[in-house]
């Protein structure tokens, strides 16, 4: 089973960019879909983007055109490139592996704060 650890969060001004990373421990990273979620203060966790094991991508409407999800199986790492950041993107971001619809363990997340 694979576990993922997020990194790359920080404080950025509105309109700026950040790239989050999601490093896997364990084997078989390539067979897992990778999903990014986020949770803002006082709100429920919401889905952001998915990249399948085959490389297909899907995005929430709120981030479409601004965020790009990708993966490097050789490095066992997933990425979330976030551009044109807005204050409403402020949240803790999580990545989670999924195999045939079954989620793996959630990590600690990485904080993204966008100042307006």
């Amino acid at each position: 089973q694979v576990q993922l650890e997020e990194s790359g969060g920080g404080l950025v001004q509105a309109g700026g960019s950040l790239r989050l990373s999601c490093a896997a421990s364990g084997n078989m990273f390539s067979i897992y879909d990778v999903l990014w979620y986020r949770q803002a203060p006082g709100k429920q966790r919401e889905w952001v983007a998915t990249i399948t094991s085959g490389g297909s991508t899907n995005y929430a409407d709120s981030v479409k055109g601004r965020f790009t999800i990708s993966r490097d199986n050789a490095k066992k790492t997933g990425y979330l490139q976030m551009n044109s950041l807005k204050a409403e993107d402020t949240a803790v971001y999580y990545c989670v592996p999924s195999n045939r619809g079954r989620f793996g363990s959630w990590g600690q997340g990485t904080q993204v704060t966008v100042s307006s």
Side-chain angles (χ1 to χ4, degrees):
Q1 187 172 354
V2 69
Q3 289 187 309
L4 303 179
E5 182 175 357
E6 308 88 347
S7 63
L11 174 64
V12 63
Q13 289 189 332
S17 298
L18 280 175
R19 188 176 81 156
L20 305 184
S21 297
C22 180
S25 61
N27 297 319
M28 309 292 284
F29 172 73
S30 62
I31 72 168
Y32 288 86
D33 300 341
V34 176
L35 292 81
W36 285 93
Y37 281 78
R38 66 186 181 186
Q39 187 166 18
K43 294 187 177 181
Q44 288 190 331
R45 191 171 295 183
E46 66 170 349
W47 168 75
V48 174
T50 298
I51 184 164
T52 68
S53 58
S56 298
T57 60
N58 201 10
Y59 299 91
D61 288 344
S62 59
V63 306
K64 201 172 293 183
R66 300 188 298 120
F67 290 12
T68 302
I69 190 171
S70 61
R71 64 190 298 159
D72 184 332
N73 289 336
K75 295 183 178 179
K76 297 197 297 182
T77 302
Y79 303 98
L80 186 68
Q81 176 67 44
M82 306 186 297
N83 299 330
S84 302
L85 283 162
K86 306 175 181 179
E88 51 263 44
D89 295 317
T90 295
V92 178
Y93 283 72
Y94 302 87
C95 62
V96 61
S98 175
N99 185 20
R100 299 181 181 180
R102 296 201 307 180
F103 280 21
S105 300
W106 292 84
Q108 295 297 311
T110 186
Q111 175 70 49
V112 172
T113 303
V114 184
S115 63
S116 56

